Amino acid sequence: MDGGSFSSFSILLFLAAIVAVYHHSAEAAMSKGSFEDNFSIMWSENHFTTSTDGQIWYLSLDNDTGCGFQTKQRYRFGWFSMKLKLVGGDSAGVVTAYYMCTENGAGPERDELDFEFLGNRTGQPYLIQTNVYKNGTGNREMRHMLWFDPTEDYHTYSILWNNHQIVFFVDRVPIRVFKNNDKPNNFFPNEKPMYLFSSVWNADDWATRGGLEKTNWKLAPFVSSYKDFSVDACQWEDPFPKCVSTTTKNWWDQYDAWHLSGDQKMDYAWVQRNLVIYDYCNDSERFPTLPEECSLSPWE
């Protein structure tokens, strides 16, 4: 690494430390819930374990199968947050997914909000991919680097979802803003309630360097861990859910949550300058006519 690269990397680490300290107090106020209170195991219960106090949850992947869980409840709009520590070492081909979806499965009409953590060869950076689906259509990928090693400690990954915007946060730093245009459209998911899911699975056909790097099963099991799930949201209740329409009774659905704050805009600008690897809205080869939502400003 040359002197210029080292200097740039040092600046990134310094800024990361400032961001972590700045947001620590807000994180400390988040509420916690036990696994049994909030989640059900989707498959491979023998690949799921907990710490002795039940506060940390582990999902493992081997050459046989992965594992996943989902919330018992569905929600429409709110704040959703969890701390994750990702698979360490050589994790090429391994994907840890943390996402919201209207159904358990890749149905043709699903709405979905994705965090996907793409494994790597030892010494290479983890990439985080986000995506947004409405009525079964996604193709709205963004990829970011992270400003820390997500395998060394727990970090908080959150989604703010209201009728005006969807914001993906990492340690309270907004890394992606997906805006609504406040009229009927085919890109902003705002009509269907969603469960929250997480899983670890093998995707070595595409996840690392486009599928060139394959999963090294000699290193299995690959384990990701979770704790401190927090939700402040409108819980869907059939047949007459209270979240049918937008209200302003909750902080996540009030004016201040419809836009980034001044401090959030500064953090978001830093992310845009330093950490974005891919943005589908800048891919004119893939989209000669850019999707409608790409014209909406994240700053407004």
Side-chain angles (χ1 to χ4, degrees), residues 135-147:
N135 294 328
T137 300
N139 298 323
R140 301 181 177 98
E141 301 92 345
M142 287 191 71
R143 289 189 179 186
H144 294 76
M145 294 187 299
L146 293 168
W147 57 94

Side-chain angles (χ1 to χ4, degrees), residues 106-210:
E109 298 296 323
R110 75 189 186 279
D111 290 354
E112 186 171 322
L113 309 175
D114 289 344
F115 274 113
E116 291 180 317
F117 306 92
L118 310 182
N120 59 14
R121 285 288 179 232
T122 303
Q124 297 173 346
Y126 250 92
L127 295 182
I128 181 170
Q129 175 169 288
T130 56
N131 204 349
V132 177
Y133 286 74
K134 181 170 183 177
N135 294 328
T137 300
N139 298 323
R140 301 181 177 98
E141 301 92 345
M142 287 191 71
R143 289 189 179 186
H144 294 76
M145 294 187 299
L146 293 168
W147 57 94
F148 53 83
D149 184 344
T151 71
E152 291 185 346
D153 202 354
Y154 290 90
H155 291 269
T156 305
Y157 304 90
S158 311
I159 296 173
L160 170 67
W161 175 33
N162 55 47
N163 200 41
H164 301 272
Q165 65 176 0
I166 297 163
V167 185
F168 295 82
F169 290 88
V170 177
D171 288 341
R172 292 279 183 155
V173 175
I175 66 165
R176 181 175 185 178
V177 180
F178 191 80
K179 302 292 283 191
N180 196 3
N181 63 1
D182 298 324
K183 60 184 180 181
N185 59 61
N186 293 316
F187 61 83
F188 193 92
N190 60 350
E191 300 165 356
K192 306 172 188 176
M194 299 193 201
Y195 298 97
L196 188 140
F197 299 82
S198 194
S199 59
V200 58
W201 49 289
N202 179 47
D204 65 3
D205 57 333
W206 65 270
T208 307
R209 294 185 60 215

Side-chain angles (χ1 to χ4, degrees), residues 8 21-22 27 62 67 83 243-244 252 277 285:
S8 298
V21 171
Y22 179 81
E27 280 299 316
D62 57 27
C67 184
K83 292 182 179 179
C243 351
V244 169
W252 40 261
I277 299 297
E285 181 176 347

Side-chain angles (χ1 to χ4, degrees), residues 102 125 299:
T102 53
W299 305 100

